[in-house]
Amino acid sequence: MCSLIKKYNVSGPRYTSYPTVPYWNMDTFSGKKWETTLVKSFKESNSKEGISLYIHLPFCESMCTFCGCHKRITKKHNVEEPYIDAVLKEWDLYTQLFSEKPKIKELHLGGGTPTFFAPENLEKLIRGIFRKADKADGYEFSFEGHPNNTTREHLQALYDVGFRRVSYGVQDYNETVQKAIHRVQPFKNVKSVTEIAREIGYTSIGHDIIFGLPHQTLDHVKETILKTKELRPDRLAFYSYAHVPWLKGNGQRGYKDTDLPSAEEKRAQYEEGKKLLAQVGYTEIGMDHFALSNDSLYTSMKSGKLHRNFMGYTASKTQLMVGLGASSISDSWYSFAQNVKSIEEYKHLVNNNIIPIYRGHILTKEDQVIRKHILNLMCTYQTSWAYETMSFNDVDTVLENLKEMHLDNLVIISHNKLEVTKKGKPFIRNICMAFDVHLHRKAPETKLFSMTI
């Protein structure tokens, strides 16, 4: 395994979208084209499956140095209401384009720190959204909570407006690691908010754990998972720290590259963690995710309905995802659109009745086909180009790209079909890269992505 790690540990995307953001073509994109694809997708999907809504709440009281998200660090809470008013205004601009009342199947509050906001303001936000929307059948609403500031009032307020899933960012319980990433949170805090959520009635509680953090050892990962076993969350994100210090504003310059575990040490952390999770009843779901058999993510994986988009893995598919808030990304299936990142510019545009996008990509027919292949691989570890709708021009090139992986027993290639082996699952990002014609046609000149292993 060590030789394979050295061979395949290269910079590569996580494929929450295809094409990946650095390969979006702005020459063919416009706000008007985005709106056209949005309306088309809404008409095709709203009555059948509903839509997804992601709301970015960017404020944090302190900087976590492992984080690569867009955020604003402040302790001034008077920023809350003007921002929520802007998000509701943006939603109003979208609903004016729809031919009927949207049915929301999935709604997720991300950040930043959603629980930076007061419970009454979060309730105001959600009730405002549903003045112009309905809940779809089988809806699932979730939010990200910080264990240090999520209160019973937060959990109750969001439960009262339909939320049944919450995820807490744990990362690691070792104090040395926590100090390095500027995220000190005692186990008792995580235990408390996990138990309160269960008392209130949340049916899916998730914990996020990261391996490969600065100063983190194999024993630290083991200890974190043993503590996690005690709380038994319904699902887990157990993923590799993405070291991207060249990205502006992410705070990853507070430690040296030599403070990070080696690629081999990171892989050992993952394999040992995965083994421990399996021993206590967790099943691996796609890339970096684990769930108990009672969780909707597990049920979705078993029924072949697992989906992946900018929110990560989701239990049900929606063709249309609308992103609200500064830096949010929307996906109509036919195109992507990202909002401006500056909070001040975001508020200025929406208050002037302008949907605040600043870049995007119109998917070509080739993009749509390859996107399906990558989505299949990320969700089911297999894909096929036996059908006309899944054929593409560069199949010979892709097969050539997969040749070494086939020889290394990472994939099985049969007539018009590709299957990822058990040995190959840790290398799923590399396997998807074989299909990424944008990446192969124009290799990046600078660092864009984290390492795949």
Side-chain angles (χ1 to χ4, degrees):
M1 181 62 81
C2 286
S3 62
L4 289 177
I5 289 171
K6 289 179 181 178
K7 184 175 183 178
Y8 291 108
N9 189 33
V10 297
S11 174
R14 288 181 180 268
Y15 291 111
T16 49
S17 73
Y18 180 83
T20 54
V21 175
Y23 289 96
W24 286 3
N25 184 354
M26 282 298 296
D27 292 338
T28 60
F29 179 82
S30 69
K32 184 56 67 177
K33 288 180 180 179
W34 156 244
E35 290 181 14
T36 299
T37 68
L38 171 88
V39 170
K40 177 183 178 182
S41 189
F42 181 83
K43 288 178 179 177
E44 291 173 348
S45 62
N46 185 56
S47 60
K48 292 187 295 184
E49 61 188 21
I51 72 169
S52 291
L53 198 61
Y54 171 78
I55 304 176
H56 190 69
L57 302 175
F59 301 107
C60 300
E61 287 197 342
S62 63
M63 170 79 82
C64 299
T65 58
F66 66 88
C67 177
C69 299
H70 296 291
K71 65 270 183 186
R72 173 72 59 85
I73 308 302
T74 182
K75 294 185 184 295
K76 296 179 180 179
H77 286 264
N78 59 358
V79 298
E80 294 182 31
E81 290 191 66
Y83 186 80
I84 285 175
D85 290 341
V87 169
L88 292 175
K89 174 66 174 177
E90 184 188 6
W91 178 235
D92 180 61
L93 295 174
Y94 272 110
T95 58
Q96 290 176 32
L97 299 173
F98 298 149
S99 55
E100 60 185 11
K101 211 171 186 182
K103 298 176 182 177
I104 299 178
K105 183 69 175 286
E106 289 192 322
L107 191 158
H108 184 70
L109 304 181
T113 306
T115 46
F116 171 97
F117 286 75
E120 57 269 24
N121 283 333
L122 292 176
E123 186 174 357
K124 172 188 173 182
L125 170 64
I126 302 306
R127 293 197 186 281
I129 292 291
F130 281 99
R131 288 194 189 99
K132 298 192 175 181
D134 293 323
K135 295 173 183 175
D137 293 340
Y139 68 88
E140 188 173 273
F141 299 166
S142 58
F143 74 98
E144 298 166 13
H146 193 315
N148 286 352
N149 67 14
T150 300
T151 64
R152 181 180 290 274
E153 290 74 22
H154 280 114
L155 289 159
Q156 189 65 59
L158 289 171
Y159 182 89
D160 290 343
V161 291
F163 284 70
R164 296 296 181 268
R165 189 165 74 79
V166 55
S167 61
Y168 297 118
V170 172
Q171 326 322 342
D172 188 284
Y173 285 116
N174 179 267
E175 191 173 345
T176 299
V177 176
Q178 288 185 348
K179 286 180 179 178
I181 63 174
H182 205 231
R183 179 72 174 239
V184 177
Q185 50 193 24
F187 174 72
K188 66 178 183 179
N189 291 10
V190 182
K191 184 174 188 290
S192 175
V193 291
T194 298
E195 291 175 347
I196 291 170
R198 286 207 174 101
E199 288 172 18
I200 289 172
Y202 282 77
T203 54
S204 179
I205 298 167
H207 287 183
D208 292 351
I209 301 171
I210 303 179
F211 60 92
L213 289 167
H215 307 297
Q216 191 180 43
T217 67
L218 182 59
D219 284 341
H220 295 154
V221 173
K222 289 180 180 178
E223 178 67 17
T224 294
I225 289 177
L226 288 174
K227 286 181 178 292
T228 300
K229 174 186 172 182
E230 181 182 332
L231 301 181
R232 204 167 172 77
D234 302 279
R235 68 172 69 170
L236 286 163
F238 180 47
Y239 60 95
S240 169
Y241 163 66
H243 191 54
V244 285
W246 56 87
L247 293 182
K248 183 180 178 181
N250 66 11
Q252 292 182 358
R253 299 175 185 84
Y255 37 81
K256 304 184 291 292
D257 287 0
T258 53
D259 294 330
L260 301 173
S262 67
E264 291 80 8
E265 289 170 330
K266 277 182 72 175
R267 201 67 228 166
Q269 290 175 358
Y270 179 76
E271 294 298 338
E272 183 64 24
K274 184 170 71 169
K275 184 175 75 175
L276 289 173
L277 290 172
Q279 288 173 1
V280 296
Y282 289 93
T283 300
E284 191 171 13
I285 310 288
M287 183 180 77
D288 303 338
H289 285 67
F290 298 79
L292 298 176
S293 59
N294 62 285
D295 192 80
S296 62
L297 211 58
Y298 175 90
T299 307
S300 179
M301 184 267 292
K302 283 294 186 182
S303 63
K305 295 180 180 178
L306 193 65
H307 186 57
R308 184 171 173 83
N309 56 28
F310 284 105
M311 296 189 289
Y313 283 105
T314 63
S316 59
K317 173 190 170 293
T318 56
Q319 180 172 302
L320 174 61
M321 186 189 83
V322 176
L324 303 177
S327 81
S328 282
I329 298 177
S330 298
D331 175 5
S332 71
W333 185 261
Y334 304 107
S335 66
F336 302 122
Q338 183 173 20
N339 283 353
V340 295
K341 298 177 183 180
S342 161
I343 294 169
E344 289 74 21
E345 185 181 6
Y346 168 77
K347 290 192 292 187
H348 172 75
L349 290 171
V350 296
N351 288 330
N352 283 279
N353 300 312
I354 300 169
I355 292 177
I357 57 175
Y358 83 104
R359 66 174 174 178
H361 178 84
I362 305 298
L363 277 78
T364 65
K365 288 184 178 179
E366 179 187 69
D367 289 339
Q368 292 177 41
V369 168
I370 295 175
R371 180 186 188 180
K372 287 180 182 178
H373 285 298
I374 289 177
L375 191 59
N376 288 345
L377 289 167
M378 295 296 280
C379 294
T380 68
Y381 291 113
Q382 60 182 340
T383 194
S384 170
W385 46 93
Y387 305 104
E388 184 181 352
T389 55
M390 294 295 282
S391 63
F392 55 105
N393 295 329
D394 285 299
V395 63
D396 290 336
T397 303
V398 170
L399 291 174
E400 182 64 28
N401 294 337
L402 290 165
K403 194 172 181 179
E404 280 291 312
M405 298 181 204
H406 179 63
L407 293 173
D408 288 330
N409 298 315
L410 305 184
V411 296
I412 298 170
I413 302 172
S414 55
H415 182 62
N416 292 335
K417 186 175 182 180
L418 171 70
E419 295 177 82
V420 180
T421 65
K422 183 178 180 180
K423 184 180 178 182
K425 286 182 178 180
F427 303 94
I428 187 63
R429 288 166 69 182
N430 303 79
I431 295 166
C432 290
M433 286 167 67
F435 286 79
D436 191 338
V437 297
H438 288 285
L439 188 65
H440 290 286
R441 288 170 186 163
K442 186 180 179 183
E445 296 175 357
T446 58
K447 286 185 176 181
L448 296 177
F449 308 110
S450 62
M451 304 304 281
T452 57
I453 310 297

